[in-house]
Amino acid sequence: GLGYPGGAIVESRAKNADEKRYNFPVPLMRTAKIAFSYSGLKNSVRLEIERAPLTEQRINDICASFQKSAVRHITHKVEAFFKQNKVEKFAVVGGVSANSYLKEKLQSLCARYNITFFAADLAYASDNAAMIARAALDFSKEIQKENIGDFKIQSRSPLRSYN
């Protein structure tokens, strides 16, 4: 019930809160597999919300503890990727790139691995849907010039490097 966009609200409420109050799980910590899942974390948060009445401080602490676990999940998987691949540059994009807590943790991780870190200015850290729509528009212009059968279209795994 925090509203939209949820990430910005969570980050805002987490700023004046105790991120250590709740020990939410960090998903997939025991595997080096580059995969993401938030179902267990979200369920833990849901159970905590249902456990007791929500005060403003409880909501803030839940947001901070959730953000800490969610970001730890991302940084753990990015670090696993760094260990498995030679990486010189790393960028975070999309709506999540607006989160200063995440950017700080990723920048620190990149520094440890001597990797150049990039993040878009806040004005360009919009929802992924807008970026996909823009990419689709550019792609549709290419389709008009080419035969659609000439394009190889496939999904990409997360954290794929592009050179």
Side-chain angles (χ1 to χ4, degrees), residues 6-19:
I9 296 168
V10 166
E11 180 182 20
S12 174
R13 295 196 72 142
K15 287 186 194 276
N16 298 311
D18 180 5
E19 69 178 15

Side-chain angles (χ1 to χ4, degrees), residues 4-60:
Y4 182 85
I9 296 168
V10 166
E11 180 182 20
S12 174
R13 295 196 72 142
K15 287 186 194 276
N16 298 311
D18 180 5
E19 69 178 15
K20 297 177 182 172
R21 180 168 177 191
Y22 302 103
N23 189 24
F24 294 131
V26 178
L28 304 174
M29 282 294 287
R30 292 186 181 97
T31 176
K33 182 179 177 186
I34 312 289
F36 295 88
S37 172
Y38 288 97
S39 59
L41 173 57
K42 290 189 300 185
N43 190 53
S44 293
V45 170
R46 181 186 61 80
L47 292 173
E48 184 55 44
I49 289 169
E50 293 173 352
R51 190 181 66 74
L54 290 173
T55 64
E56 289 301 308
Q57 190 59 53
R58 262 192 93 229
I59 292 169
N60 293 347

Side-chain angles (χ1 to χ4, degrees), residues 53-163:
L54 290 173
T55 64
E56 289 301 308
Q57 190 59 53
R58 262 192 93 229
I59 292 169
N60 293 347
D61 291 346
I62 287 170
C63 286
S65 298
F66 166 80
Q67 179 176 255
K68 178 184 171 190
S69 292
V71 167
R72 182 66 188 115
H73 178 42
I74 293 169
T75 57
H76 174 71
K77 294 306 172 182
V78 170
E79 185 169 20
F81 182 80
F82 289 170
K83 289 177 179 179
Q84 296 172 21
N85 299 274
K86 183 179 181 333
V87 178
E88 294 178 12
K89 299 174 183 177
F90 182 81
V92 60
V93 298
V96 71
S97 70
N99 185 288
S100 59
Y101 183 85
L102 172 64
K103 284 192 289 192
E104 174 189 320
K105 299 298 184 185
L106 287 173
Q107 189 167 21
S108 175
L109 176 65
C110 287
R112 283 199 333 254
Y113 283 85
N114 199 28
I115 295 169
T116 304
F117 176 76
F118 297 94
D121 290 336
L122 192 55
Y124 303 105
S126 64
D127 187 278
N128 285 334
M131 291 188 298
I132 296 301
R134 176 59 197 213
L137 178 64
D138 291 344
F139 185 70
S140 71
K141 289 177 184 176
E142 290 299 314
I143 290 174
Q144 292 171 8
K145 297 178 194 172
E146 304 287 336
N147 180 349
I148 188 70
D150 293 339
F151 289 96
K152 182 179 179 189
I153 301 171
Q154 65 186 42
S155 65
R156 294 188 173 135
S157 63
L159 296 177
R160 184 174 181 155
S161 63
Y162 299 97
N163 295 327

